[in-house]
């Protein structure tokens, strides 16, 4: 399956960055994750805030359906979340916001090493996959709720 | 030196944040950050600190082993560390990787080394200075050590096996469920490729975290003695092997036993459970 266009653009960009610049970009994205959380007064259709065993701190995923079925995410991270996971959060918020929810569900996770690079792919940095899985879970939960409501 | 630190068996290996702050511009001191979080150093570090990454810098890149004497000398040289430089290690995760890096430095006899009590978390918590500026130190000459002295500090699989067969003291520092065999990974971590759960027969469970306070500092000597001598029955003269899953948590315990309590024969079995739990015909015990 093809990636949503904004994500594909980021993959293309990261894949050809020299290592030092890739790290610098990841740091910038990690910094940007602070502004990925919900803004004051923002309303969401679904809020899924929890601390799972596979992540070092709490992650809150907030999802709102816009224009019918386009996803708008906000993600709040606890301070102990690893830096790579923070970076991936900002990357995913930027590249998946506005994508059709069905498309979000189908995003394959194989882009992750293409963005973070071989040097940073380690067993213990597997939580970079975690945020994407949480975003997909949120979409699925929202779609299930809708189906249930329609069925009821 | 604060009274808690001066009470340890080897107080010279531990410093507090005040000491470090006073020595940040000391040209004979090199501060080294070692973390699990791969980009944490880039997000901000103690001014003047260099970054030593356990896998990139300390591990051999093709053999599951550490760098050799030449690799170690080159690592020191490119970080401006000379044979007389005082190296102060700190890092995330209650200093797991700082203790691991300290331990690797001991394999090469760089004894002029210290750990920052409380590590990165306490430094940050107290609002002490952090910077993103990376200092490139002029290269210095570090004579290639004659050998890597594994025998004094490190146990290989065969040695760990003989240690177990001899009924000598062995401390499993993993979480209780990893020790019992109920799980093969620690909470919040992925499975790191272990086929079986359990522990080395005869090993006693004492999770590394028992040696640390909530602010990531080490517990007092008295508190540590109550755990390791009192509860585990370890004696200062005992031949002791500590292990975890890949050797980083057990570096923390190794540091506690050897330097804070002054136990004379302590080795870190860095192959740990990812080796023992996978080794064909290696005996294990389960306790759940």
């Amino acid at each position: 399956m093809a990636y949503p266009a904004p994500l594909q653009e980021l993959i293309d960009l990261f894949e050809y960055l020299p290592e030092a610049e890739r790290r610098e970009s990841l740091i910038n994205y990690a910094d940007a994750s602070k502004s990925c959380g919900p803004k004051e007064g923002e309303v969401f259709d679904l809020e899924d805030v929890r601390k799972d065993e596979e992540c070092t701190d709490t992650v809150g995923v907030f999802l709102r359906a816009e224009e019918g079925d386009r996803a708008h995410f906000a993600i709040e991270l606890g301070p102990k979340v690893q830096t790579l996971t923070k970076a991936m959060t900002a990357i995913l918020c930027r590249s998946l916001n506005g994508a059709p929810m069905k498309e979000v569900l189908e995003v394959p996770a194989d882009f992750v090493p293409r963005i973070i690079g071989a040097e940073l792919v380690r067993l213990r940095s597997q939580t970079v996959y975690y945020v994407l899985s949480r975003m997909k879970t949120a979409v699925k939960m929202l779609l299930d709720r809708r189906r249930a409501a329609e069925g009821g | 030196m604060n009274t808690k630190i001066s009470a340890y068996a080897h107080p010279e290996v531990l410093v507090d944040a005040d000491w470090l702050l006073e020595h940040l511009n000391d040209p004979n001191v090199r501060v080294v950050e070692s973390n699990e979080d791969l980009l944490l150093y880039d997000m901000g570090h103690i001014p003047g600190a260099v970054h030593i990454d356990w896998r990139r810098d300390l591990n051999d890149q093709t053999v599951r082993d550490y760098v050799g004497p030449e690799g170690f000398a080159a690592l020191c040289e490119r970080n401006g560390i000379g044979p007389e430089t005082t190296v102060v290690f700190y890092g995330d995760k209650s200093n797991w990787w700082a203790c691991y890096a300290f331990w690797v430095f001991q394999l090469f006899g760089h004894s002029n080394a210290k750990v920052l009590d409380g590590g990165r978390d306490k430094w940050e918590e107290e609002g002490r200075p952090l910077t993103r500026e990376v200092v490139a130190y002029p290269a210095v000459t570090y004579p290639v050590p004659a050998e890597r002295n594994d025998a004094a500090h490190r146990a290989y699989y065969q040695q760990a096996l003989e240690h177990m067969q001899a009924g000598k003291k062995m401390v499993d520092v993993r979480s209780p469920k990893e020790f019992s065999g109920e799980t093969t990974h620690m909470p919040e971590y992925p499975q790191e490729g272990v086929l079986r759960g359990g522990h080395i027969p005869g090993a006693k469970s004492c999770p590394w975290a028992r040696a640390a306070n909530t602010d990531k500092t080490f517990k007092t000597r008295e508190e540590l003695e109550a755990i390791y001598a009192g509860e585990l029955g370890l004696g200062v003269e005992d031949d002791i092997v500590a292990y975890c899953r890949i050797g980083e948590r057990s570096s923390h315990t190794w540091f506690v036993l050897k330097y804070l309590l002054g136990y004379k024969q302590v080795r870190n079995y860095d192959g740990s459970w990812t080796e023992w739990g996978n080794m064909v015909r290696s005996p294990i015990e389960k306790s759940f």
Side-chain angles (χ1 to χ4, degrees), chain B residues 125-201:
Chain B
E125 191 68 33
E126 292 174 345
R128 293 179 186 268
L130 291 172
T131 180
R132 291 193 178 184
E133 187 190 345
V134 176
V135 180
Y137 293 99
V140 295
T141 301
Y142 197 105
V144 175
E147 59 169 2
R148 194 180 64 203
N149 183 13
D150 288 351
H153 306 288
R154 187 180 182 197
Y156 289 103
Y157 174 79
Q158 188 59 32
Q159 292 164 328
L161 184 67
E162 287 163 9
H163 196 86
M164 176 209 81
Q165 288 165 338
K168 292 182 179 174
K169 303 286 172 65
M170 195 168 263
V171 185
D172 183 317
V173 313
R174 297 174 300 157
S175 61
K177 283 185 178 178
E178 291 174 273
F179 177 82
S180 71
E182 196 174 336
T183 63
T184 52
H185 62 90
M186 58 180 152
E188 301 171 354
Y189 282 80
Q191 224 282 34
E192 284 178 316
V194 177
L195 293 173
R196 301 178 303 161
H199 56 265
I200 298 177

Side-chain angles (χ1 to χ4, degrees), chain B residues 18-30:
Chain B
D18 288 337
W19 184 96
L20 185 54
L21 207 51
E22 283 169 21
H23 289 82
L24 283 185
N25 296 315
D26 185 338
N28 298 315
V29 171
R30 183 70 63 247

Side-chain angles (χ1 to χ4, degrees), chain A residues 40-101:
Chain A
E40 202 172 329
E42 225 179 342
V43 178
F44 292 90
D45 299 315
L46 184 134
E47 298 183 5
D48 178 19
V49 181
R50 57 189 148 99
K51 160 79 182 73
D52 282 335
E53 176 120 308
E54 58 264 49
C55 194
T56 50
D57 209 340
T58 301
V59 172
V61 178
F62 303 80
L63 172 62
R64 179 171 65 236
E66 292 180 340
E67 297 169 30
D69 75 335
R70 288 184 182 273
H72 177 84
F73 291 99
I75 299 183
E76 199 165 58
L77 303 174
K80 290 180 192 161
V81 168
Q82 290 227 339
T83 310
L84 269 178
T85 307
K86 289 178 182 168
M88 193 53 66
T89 297
I91 287 168
L92 289 171
C93 278
R94 178 173 160 177
S95 57
L96 296 184
N97 269 349
M101 289 200 277

